[in-house]
Amino acid sequence: MSVTLKDVAQAARVSVSTASRALTGTGLTSERTQQRLVRIARELGYRPNPIARGLKTGQSRLVALLVHNLTNASFQVMAEVVQARLKALGYQMLLCIGGDDPQQESDTLTTLIDHRIDGLIVVPTGKNGAQLKALSKDVPIVCLVRRDDATDLETVLADDPQGAYLGTRHLIELGHKRIGLIVGRQDTTSGRERLSGYVRALREAGIARDYTLIHAGHFVPETGATCARKLLDLPRPPSAIFVANHEATLGVLRVTAERNIAIPDDLSLLCYEDMPWFEWHRPAISIVDNGARDLANLAVDRLLHRMDAKGNGSEGVREYRVGARLIKRDSCRQIDAPAPARSARPKSSPSKSSAAKSAKV
Amino acid sequence: MSVTLKDVAQAARVSVSTASRALTGTGLTSERTQQRLVRIARELGYRPNPIARGLKTGQSRLVALLVHNLTNASFQVMAEVVQARLKALGYQMLLCIGGDDPQQESDTLTTLIDHRIDGLIVVPTGKNGAQLKALSKDVPIVCLVRRDDATDLETVLADDPQGAYLGTRHLIELGHKRIGLIVGRQDTTSGRERLSGYVRALREAGIARDYTLIHAGHFVPETGATCARKLLDLPRPPSAIFVANHEATLGVLRVTAERNIAIPDDLSLLCYEDMPWFEWHRPAISIVDNGARDLANLAVDRLLHRMDAKGNGSEGVREYRVGARLIKRDSCRQIDAPAPARSARPKSSPSKSSAAKSAKV
DNA sequence: GACAATTATGCAAACGATTGCATAAAGTCT
DNA sequence: AGACTTTATGCAATCGTTTGCATAATTGTC
């Protein structure tokens, strides 16, 4: 079907081995034959067969990225970044979707190893530590976004404590004293760390912690709706809600919409992790950006480093943090101060405020 | 590193060939040795090496899916569907992102072929027809969503004429007579076909076509904003807008928000292709669903069929259409009739409508 | 110009599976 | 029980590369 090394060798009247050496640049070949072979190979349209090469070298030029899903915007950009970087280096990305399901993760890992991938970036479920650990002897692995506590794998994490702290502090600086928090399950690292960042910011500001303002839940939109209702039904509802559970965002927005709560006039809203439409939304939604792009880039860096280092395993650093940053848009407002006087408008009626809000920009 | 067929054979005191035959089920092996080998293989934890196998058989157990990006919700679900289906069959999906860029598409195709993929599902840019055609001799290819006119490849398309027709008819049935259309570039199949569906519905209803109501543009949010403004600034603005350009949706929503246009009270809005948050949005956005899930499934079906049929090439059907369907939510209302009495609310003041509108998302 | 040192090439054996062909074992039939 | 099928096994070649080792060609040195 396609041109083989043998064909090239024959055309050049040299042996296959010389051809191989000339084209891979390995070892000793005279300048002249080398160039001649390169030329002939190009003329013939020779493309090395990665499978045959892989059999001999044990490498596949395949690097896998295993994420939970493609719905989460962070995973999308990570996938795009990883693919772009790898491709530039001559690797193909094998994107796998594990659904955050341990069984599926385990199966996928197995077939990936079968395929002799050269490297793996994985967002672990946390339930297959043993397997990951075992595999890490055969192939470089980098964990992304989540740590698998059962392993000592190199891990690239978002700086969730910092992100949550930044977000909360931002709201405090705007004058908010009662800040509702909707956060992820407390048996996940991110859930715990975001809560701790929130708590720290409050403490620093000397604001007493109010447990009725803190809600943790599963990573689904429904969580957002439920928690938002609970918060808004409070005798003294919060003046701001920090949705630090990305997946819950939709639920929160639905509830505020249903109740005609104007953002940011009636309620300030700060979310976690970007979505492409947040800046198109009116009001554009302020967020804490977890740095998905940087995370992916760093993960690739670390992976490549390990792939080069070829198993001279234990270095010092095993955990990297990528800074979060605040992206201020229009969904949070200064409290106890007049709303920005951009458009002259009465202040009284609630319908007014909602109009003001949407009118903005 | 890992257990090889030779190890299994040795342990069972048979030759490698017998082991191979027993485990693959190929050819003649006695019941007893077969079972014995299977047992031993399992005990030893033998896993066939796809690379070695691939070298001999010319197959890789890899199937590629090449899409433009992962931002588009349709591509997301397609990727998830394809991955799930393939995995169940023992294939790994190679997901590639081509960015709708001919050069990138071409490069990617080349490396995919190098990797000896067993099949390819591609959303073609339309600019690499020659290459695709050539490759289709080596590997089964199915085009998805777009046709590449330079080839006669088997293609799975959304039924855009029908989808646009259904959507337009829906609006007409609700009493709308002036229906704005925002559609994609007319040098794409989908752009043309959706326009034609719209036109057909109008014709059937005996509504004169008004060119000021029809806008075609690039697949970016800005298009939506620009076109929406043009439509709304018309002396006699439309009572409904059909956003048949998925990527433009965000832009349209922003403009309606900026102008405090209440949906569906002031303007009915119908969009094309779902996004996960459409049903969480307030009002929930009605759409024409292009059937991404079905498209992906059918593409997989066709691909598998070709992969089995092993090149007994030219059958009859080369183009499949997957039905679109209307998903009615809350963003379109009956015209000349009272708004649905869901929540009792004043009808008069503009603030009302803006409140309703801000309720959005 | 002969000899050693260097460099360039070729031979052949891997890598781990599959598979055509030959042969050994087991059944069948008279 | 011997001749003849049928069925089960093994041998060895093969897929397209890479690579250790031996050898041939080139260069340099005195």
Side-chain angles (χ1 to χ4, degrees):
Chain A
M1 151 183 150
S2 59
V3 185
T4 136
L5 189 53
K6 196 163 142 199
D7 300 332
V8 178
Q10 251 157 23
R13 319 195 142 274
V14 295
S15 74
V16 207
S17 23
T18 331
S20 170
R21 276 186 280 252
L23 295 178
T24 57
T26 324
L28 321 313
T29 327
S30 78
E31 189 90 353
R32 247 199 27 231
T33 39
Q34 152 122 4
Q35 295 189 343
R36 194 163 60 95
L37 276 164
V38 171
R39 183 173 49 77
I40 297 189
R42 190 175 35 239
E43 283 172 8
L44 262 51
Y46 168 73
R47 313 226 77 226
N49 179 335
I51 300 206
R53 175 177 288 176
L55 181 56
K56 188 77 225 248
T57 63
Q59 316 214 300
S60 57
R61 306 252 82 190
L62 254 31
V63 168
L65 172 65
L66 175 51
V67 298
H68 295 339
N69 59 61
L70 256 30
T71 317
N72 187 307
S74 296
F75 290 150
Q76 286 167 32
V77 336
M78 288 175 186
E80 300 195 349
V81 168
V82 171
Q83 135 111 9
R85 295 270 322 259
L86 289 179
K87 187 147 125 225
L89 293 159
Y91 290 93
Q92 261 300 325
M93 173 181 75
L94 220 49
L95 180 61
C96 302
I97 303 167
D100 202 1
D101 169 33
Q103 180 60 47
Q104 228 187 313
E105 175 178 57
S106 174
D107 292 351
T108 307
L109 288 175
T110 311
T111 64
L112 287 178
I113 292 303
D114 285 351
H115 277 284
R116 300 299 189 274
I117 51 170
D118 290 349
L120 169 66
I121 299 179
V122 56
V123 181
T125 63
K127 301 292 165 60
N128 288 306
Q131 189 181 10
L132 276 176
K133 199 166 185 172
L135 297 183
S136 70
K137 279 177 198 123
D138 294 337
V139 58
I141 301 184
V142 171
C143 289
L144 184 58
V145 177
R146 277 207 210 162
R147 182 176 31 228
D148 189 319
D149 294 312
T151 72
D152 58 345
L153 294 172
E154 203 161 39
T155 304
V156 175
L157 295 172
D159 197 341
D160 281 327
Q162 177 70 0
Y165 170 80
L166 283 177
T168 312
R169 201 182 63 182
H170 174 55
L171 291 170
I172 294 175
E173 285 171 355
L174 287 176
H176 294 276
K177 302 248 184 306
R178 292 183 60 72
I179 302 173
L181 177 72
I182 298 176
V183 70
R185 281 169 20 214
Q186 289 301 297
D187 61 339
T188 62
T189 318
S190 69
R192 283 194 302 271
E193 292 188 345
R194 292 185 190 176
L195 175 55
S196 79
Y198 166 87
V199 168
R200 183 175 135 231
L202 289 188
R203 187 173 349 100
E204 268 189 18
I207 299 179
R209 197 186 319 175
D210 179 345
Y211 283 104
T212 62
L213 290 178
I214 302 176
H215 289 278
H218 288 276
F219 298 100
V220 289
E222 284 73 15
T223 300
T226 320
C227 298
R229 290 206 186 88
K230 285 196 191 135
L231 286 171
L232 296 170
D233 286 341
L234 246 32
R236 290 179 54 214
S239 62
I241 294 184
F242 185 6
V243 190
N245 171 342
H246 179 65
E247 285 76 9
T249 307
L250 288 175
V252 177
L253 285 171
R254 168 188 271 192
V255 171
T256 58
E258 281 173 357
R259 300 195 174 190
N260 280 348
I261 292 174
I263 297 172
D265 298 276
D266 299 344
L267 178 74
S268 287
L269 194 65
L270 179 61
C271 296
Y272 215 110
E273 296 181 51
D274 215 350
M275 293 208 203
W277 49 275
F278 277 1
E279 53 178 327
W280 288 88
H281 185 266
R282 290 294 94 135
I285 298 180
S286 300
I287 58 151
V288 173
D289 179 18
N290 67 343
R293 187 153 245 109
D294 297 339
L295 282 165
N297 269 312
L298 183 51
V300 174
D301 288 343
R302 296 316 307 164
L303 186 68
L304 291 174
H305 179 256
R306 311 217 115 219
M307 285 167 58
D308 287 349
K310 276 206 171 283
N312 66 355
S314 46
E315 305 129 65
V317 199
R318 302 217 89 85
E319 186 173 306
Y320 296 80
R321 290 278 180 172
V322 168
R325 67 190 229 281
L326 187 67
I327 300 185
K328 298 182 196 172
R329 298 202 268 242
D330 310 321
S331 63
C332 302
R333 84 177 246 278
Q334 183 89 33
I335 215 168
D336 296 330
R342 247 184 280 171
S343 55
R345 42 204 165 84
K347 189 94 217 318
S348 48
S349 83
S351 59
K352 159 85 260 38
S353 66
S354 75
K357 156 264 150 204
S358 57
K360 140 115 52 110
V361 166
Chain B
M1 157 179 148
S2 60
V3 185
T4 138
L5 188 54
K6 196 164 141 199
D7 301 333
V8 177
Q10 253 157 21
R13 321 196 137 273
V14 295
S15 74
V16 208
S17 23
T18 334
S20 172
R21 277 186 279 252
L23 294 178
T24 57
T26 325
L28 319 313
T29 328
S30 77
E31 189 88 354
R32 249 202 23 233
T33 39
Q34 152 122 3
Q35 296 191 342
R36 194 163 61 96
L37 276 164
V38 170
R39 185 171 49 76
I40 297 188
R42 189 175 35 237
E43 283 172 7
L44 263 50
Y46 167 72
R47 315 225 77 228
N49 180 335
I51 300 206
R53 175 178 289 174
L55 181 55
K56 187 73 224 251
T57 62
Q59 318 215 297
S60 58
R61 307 252 81 192
L62 255 30
V63 169
L65 172 65
L66 176 50
V67 297
H68 295 339
N69 60 60
L70 255 29
T71 316
N72 187 307
S74 296
F75 291 150
Q76 286 167 33
V77 338
M78 287 175 186
E80 301 195 348
V81 168
V82 171
Q83 134 110 9
R85 294 272 320 261
L86 289 179
K87 190 150 119 219
L89 293 159
Y91 290 94
Q92 261 301 322
M93 172 182 74
L94 221 49
L95 180 60
C96 301
I97 302 167
D100 201 0
D101 169 33
Q103 180 59 49
Q104 227 187 314
E105 174 178 56
S106 174
D107 292 350
T108 307
L109 287 175
T110 311
T111 65
L112 287 178
I113 293 303
D114 284 352
H115 277 286
R116 301 298 191 275
I117 50 170
D118 291 348
L120 169 66
I121 300 178
V122 57
V123 181
T125 63
K127 302 290 165 58
N128 288 307
Q131 190 180 10
L132 276 175
K133 199 165 184 170
L135 297 184
S136 70
K137 279 176 199 124
D138 294 337
V139 58
I141 300 185
V142 171
C143 289
L144 185 56
V145 177
R146 277 206 210 161
R147 183 178 25 230
D148 189 318
D149 294 314
T151 72
D152 58 344
L153 293 172
E154 203 163 39
T155 303
V156 174
L157 295 171
D159 196 339
D160 281 327
Q162 177 70 359
Y165 170 79
L166 282 178
T168 312
R169 201 183 61 182
H170 174 55
L171 292 170
I172 294 174
E173 286 171 353
L174 287 175
H176 294 276
K177 301 246 184 308
R178 292 184 61 73
I179 301 174
L181 177 72
I182 299 177
V183 70
R185 283 170 16 216
Q186 289 301 297
D187 60 341
T188 63
T189 317
S190 68
R192 284 194 302 271
E193 292 188 345
R194 293 184 190 177
L195 175 57
S196 79
Y198 166 88
V199 169
R200 184 176 134 231
L202 289 187
R203 186 172 352 101
E204 268 189 18
I207 300 178
R209 197 185 320 177
D210 178 347
Y211 284 103
T212 62
L213 290 178
I214 301 177
H215 290 279
H218 288 277
F219 299 98
V220 288
E222 284 73 16
T223 300
T226 321
C227 298
R229 290 207 185 88
K230 285 194 191 135
L231 286 171
L232 295 170
D233 287 341
L234 246 33
R236 287 179 57 214
S239 62
I241 295 184
F242 186 7
V243 189
N245 172 343
H246 179 65
E247 284 76 10
T249 307
L250 288 175
V252 177
L253 283 173
R254 169 188 268 192
V255 169
T256 58
E258 282 173 0
R259 300 194 174 192
N260 280 345
I261 292 173
I263 297 172
D265 298 276
D266 298 345
L267 178 75
S268 286
L269 192 67
L270 179 62
C271 297
Y272 216 110
E273 295 182 51
D274 215 349
M275 294 208 204
W277 50 274
F278 277 1
E279 50 179 328
W280 288 87
H281 186 268
R282 291 291 93 134
I285 299 180
S286 300
I287 59 155
V288 173
D289 178 18
N290 66 344
R293 186 153 245 106
D294 297 339
L295 284 164
N297 269 311
L298 183 51
V300 174
D301 287 344
R302 297 315 307 163
L303 185 68
L304 291 175
H305 179 257
R306 310 215 118 219
M307 285 168 58
D308 287 348
K310 279 205 170 284
N312 67 354
S314 47
E315 304 129 64
V317 198
R318 302 216 88 86
E319 186 174 306
Y320 297 80
R321 290 277 181 172
V322 168
R325 65 189 230 282
L326 187 67
I327 300 187
K328 299 182 196 171
R329 297 204 268 241
D330 311 320
S331 63
C332 302
R333 82 179 246 279
Q334 183 88 35
I335 215 167
D336 298 330
R342 247 185 285 163
S343 53
R345 40 196 165 85
K347 190 95 214 317
S348 46
S349 84
S351 61
K352 157 84 255 47
S353 64
S354 76
K357 158 268 151 204
S358 61
K360 120 182 268 272
V361 167

